[in-house]
Amino acid sequence: MSSPSPNDPAAVTLELERIRRTIEVGFTRTDGALALLVQRHDQTDEALKSHERRIDDHDGRLDTLERGETERQKRGEARLDALERSRWPLPSLAALVALCGLLVSLYGYAQR
C-alpha cells in the first residue's frame, strides 16, 4: 500500500477522518475511565460517611455507658441501693451482743 499524496484532497480528508476517529476513541476511553473513577469515588465517600455515622453512634453509646445513664445501669443502682438499705446492721448487732456479754459478765462478777 503506497502512502497517499499530500496534494490529493480525498487522501487528506480520509487521513483526517482516521485521525479524528482515533482521537474520538481515545476521548471515549478517557471519559469511561474518568466516569469509573468518579463512581468509585462516590462509593468510597458513601462508605466513609456510613462508617463515620457508625463511629459517632458508638461514641454516643460509650458516653452514655460512662455516665451510667442506661436503663440497665439505673436498675442496677436502684437494686444496690435497696439492698444496702435492707441489709442487716451487723456491726451494730455485734456491738449489742458484746455489750450484753459485758453486762452478763459484770452481773456474774457482782454475784460472787
Side-chain angles (χ1 to χ4, degrees):
M1 179 176 208
S2 65
S3 65
S5 154
N7 296 330
D8 185 14
V12 171
T13 304
L14 182 63
E15 193 61 33
L16 286 175
E17 182 61 31
R18 286 182 189 159
I19 291 172
R20 185 183 68 79
R21 187 164 289 138
T22 303
I23 290 173
E24 283 182 4
V25 169
F27 280 145
T28 303
R29 286 182 185 163
T30 304
D31 286 344
L34 287 175
L36 180 62
L37 287 174
V38 167
Q39 180 186 9
R40 287 182 181 169
H41 178 266
D42 291 344
Q43 289 174 347
T44 303
D45 278 350
E46 287 299 319
L48 182 62
K49 288 176 185 176
S50 172
H51 288 301
E52 287 175 352
R53 284 191 299 267
R54 290 178 59 199
I55 288 172
D56 290 343
D57 184 43
H58 288 304
D59 283 343
R61 288 182 191 175
L62 285 175
D63 289 343
T64 302
L65 285 173
E66 287 173 354
R67 288 191 304 264
E69 295 177 351
T70 64
E71 291 300 318
R72 184 176 181 184
Q73 287 172 321
K74 288 177 183 177
R75 284 193 312 265
E77 287 178 14
R79 182 173 173 249
L80 182 61
D81 289 343
L83 286 173
E84 286 177 348
R85 280 191 301 271
S86 66
R87 69 182 173 99
W88 282 45
L90 292 179
S92 301
L93 189 61
L96 184 62
V97 169
L99 182 63
C100 289
L102 178 65
L103 289 176
V104 168
S105 64
L106 285 177
Y107 179 73
Y109 183 71
Q111 288 296 325
R112 280 195 207 173

